[in-house]
Amino acid sequence: MHELSITQSLVEAVLDRTGERKVIAVNVQVGPLSGVLPDAMRFCFDVASAGTPLDGAQLMIDEPRGLARCRNCHDEFEPADLILLCPCGSADVEILSGRELMLMSVEVA
Amino acid sequence: MCTTCGCGDETNVRVSTLQESSSAPLPVHPHDHSHGHTHDHGPDHEHPHVHNPETIPLEQSLLAKNELLAARNRGWLEGRGIRALNVMSSPGAGKTTLLVRTLADLGERLQAGVVEGDQETSLDADRIRAVGRPVVQINTGAGCHLDADMLRRGLDALDPGTGSTVFIENVGNLVCPALFDLGEAAKVVVVSVTEGDDKPQKYPHMFRAADLVIINKSDLLPYVDFDVDGFRRRARQLNPRTDFLVLSATTGDGLAGWYDWLGGTSSRSATLTGSLTDTLSP
């Protein structure tokens, strides 16, 4: 359940910037290859934000698509999982996106 | 601060921490693209204030704090020529047995200490202490992994000598520890043959992160259905650059390869001289 400590550090990072201001929404980006489950994060957010100015804030999770490029055939494709295999058969693949684990912005009252 | 690519405040702090003590190539962030800066300003001029909701752009990694602390650890370790190895596995794969055996076999040839991570008890630390090596136990309580701050505190307590090796035995877990950089020089993942050869697909993040994969309990291979080549192939699909070793920490079979690996990755360690495998020769 690493999502709990990641969500706790999310709350801390927001509080570092917003201090006592009431937070309405937190926008994060969680890619499908990041190793973090958005649902688990939502579950942890209520616990981690309780008693802070983030209490009751909406956690908006943007889940961008994963994208990889084959270094052999230069084709780009959407990887199904972390076993990166180009349809051409090559495993020499670079991840272009999908590993995002970012705090993008916060909305304060 | 540039919030679009994060080239401001925190990132600079991290890079300079690394630069102070390391000549290793840093992830240089070329700033050759143009992008708009948000019009961020303080209340230094007057205009009517309407208290509407305000959006504050942040654009920072969710793991930023851990990554910063890990970079600090890495700089601290490199400055002292200390090599830290983050040893991870599921519970019961044989991490402690491997470490106990390694410390006992290599004796004074390997100046080493251990940071033990477990949810509860000091049972593992007691086993290391029994072979006469400095050890610090970190109990994470509900925590399922070590993070960079815990290692920092562990290193403060262990106070490892210059040029030594620090084995970090992470909490037994093939999931969470994969995401938390500690500042280690290498990640070593231990799998035992009784766990089954399908672990790479089931826990891809862990195997993607591994610098070395050790297949332990090889003495049990005749009794279990574990396809070593198939395991290797699946792990390589996730991580083509990882090394593999097959060994038994109990019987000692294959340990020479592990000691070779330790010797080969110890260029900064002044305490290792000659081939460690000599110590195993009769």
Side-chain angles (χ1 to χ4, degrees):
Chain A
M1 197 63 170
H2 49 280
E3 281 85 358
L4 181 56
S5 57
I6 287 173
T7 310
Q8 279 166 339
S9 56
L10 161 70
V11 169
E12 282 169 28
V14 171
L15 289 173
D16 276 351
R17 283 295 292 266
T18 59
E20 292 299 306
R21 299 175 75 177
K22 175 76 186 156
V23 176
I24 302 167
V26 178
N27 296 301
V28 297
Q29 228 176 37
V30 178
L33 308 177
S34 69
V36 169
L37 281 179
D39 277 346
M41 220 171 145
R42 282 186 197 99
F43 178 79
C44 295
F45 185 72
D46 290 343
V47 182
S49 63
T52 74
L54 276 79
D55 206 338
Q58 238 192 318
L59 180 65
M60 317 278 280
I61 303 180
D62 172 30
E63 300 175 47
R65 278 189 332 140
L67 195 64
R69 183 194 290 129
C70 175
R71 290 196 185 93
N72 265 11
C73 71
H74 305 291
D75 252 10
E76 291 183 3
F77 62 98
E78 194 173 336
D81 51 36
L82 271 177
I83 299 174
L84 299 170
L85 209 55
C86 177
C88 81
S90 167
D92 191 5
V93 163
E94 117 187 73
I95 296 179
L96 299 176
S97 68
R99 308 199 72 182
E100 296 85 356
L101 196 53
M102 296 281 292
L103 165 57
M104 300 304 289
S105 64
V106 288
E107 287 161 37
V108 290
Chain B
M1 170 183 167
C2 161
T3 56
T4 302
C5 64
C7 56
D9 309 340
E10 294 93 336
T11 316
N12 282 345
V13 172
R14 185 175 58 176
V15 169
S16 65
T17 307
L18 278 170
Q19 274 174 331
E20 275 163 22
S21 50
S22 164
S23 58
L26 295 165
V28 178
H29 180 85
H31 206 145
D32 54 1
H33 61 284
S34 63
H35 50 73
H37 280 257
T38 52
H39 184 58
D40 211 352
H41 56 74
D44 54 358
H45 59 274
E46 297 269 324
H47 54 76
H49 268 276
V50 185
H51 283 278
N52 281 334
E54 180 196 349
T55 300
I56 304 174
L58 292 169
E59 300 196 31
Q60 65 190 63
S61 166
L62 281 181
L63 291 168
K65 189 181 166 199
N66 187 69
E67 283 162 6
L68 173 67
L69 295 174
R72 281 190 192 149
N73 286 348
R74 188 164 280 120
W76 189 91
L77 290 162
E78 287 187 359
R80 285 158 184 77
I82 300 168
R83 170 184 50 161
L85 301 173
N86 184 1
V87 184
M88 297 174 282
S89 79
S90 45
K95 294 185 294 299
T96 316
T97 302
L98 177 66
L99 293 184
V100 166
R101 175 87 191 222
T102 301
L103 297 172
D105 279 353
L106 298 181
E108 293 307 312
R109 306 204 60 175
L110 183 71
Q111 193 200 334
V114 179
V115 175
E116 279 289 343
D118 279 299
Q119 285 201 318
E120 299 294 347
T121 80
S122 62
L123 293 173
D124 282 358
D126 295 342
R127 290 172 64 188
I128 302 289
R129 196 172 290 114
V131 284
R133 287 310 166 118
V135 60
V136 168
Q137 177 79 50
I138 299 175
N139 285 127
T140 58
C144 48
H145 59 269
L146 294 177
D147 64 30
D149 181 52
M150 293 180 205
L151 178 64
R152 168 75 271 147
R153 286 183 275 158
L155 289 173
D156 285 344
L158 187 68
D159 192 21
T162 305
S164 66
T165 297
V166 174
F167 293 103
I168 306 155
E169 188 179 332
N170 217 312
V171 179
N173 180 347
L174 278 180
V175 185
C176 311
L179 265 73
F180 292 84
D181 185 12
L182 303 178
E184 70 275 19
K187 289 179 163 69
V188 178
V189 176
V190 182
V191 191
S192 59
V193 299
T194 51
E195 291 169 57
D197 51 26
D198 53 1
K199 288 294 166 289
Q201 301 111 299
K202 286 184 171 176
Y203 302 96
H205 291 276
M206 182 57 77
F207 289 92
R208 250 190 100 73
D211 295 292
L212 171 69
V213 175
I214 291 177
I215 301 168
N216 189 25
K217 308 189 188 178
S218 63
D219 51 312
L220 300 180
L221 275 172
Y223 312 105
V224 295
D225 188 15
F226 187 99
D227 176 3
V228 173
D229 290 333
F231 175 92
R232 261 202 204 110
R233 196 172 53 247
R234 287 186 276 274
R236 279 221 192 283
Q237 283 178 347
L238 288 158
N239 183 352
R241 65 180 171 80
T242 195
D243 292 328
F244 291 93
L245 291 171
V246 182
L247 56 82
S248 166
T250 302
T251 65
D253 197 36
L255 278 176
W258 164 233
Y259 299 149
D260 261 349
W261 188 89
L262 282 175
T265 55
S266 65
S267 54
R268 285 191 302 274
S269 175
T271 56
L272 279 168
T273 49
S275 168
L276 287 168
T277 48
D278 293 349
T279 58
L280 278 187
S281 309

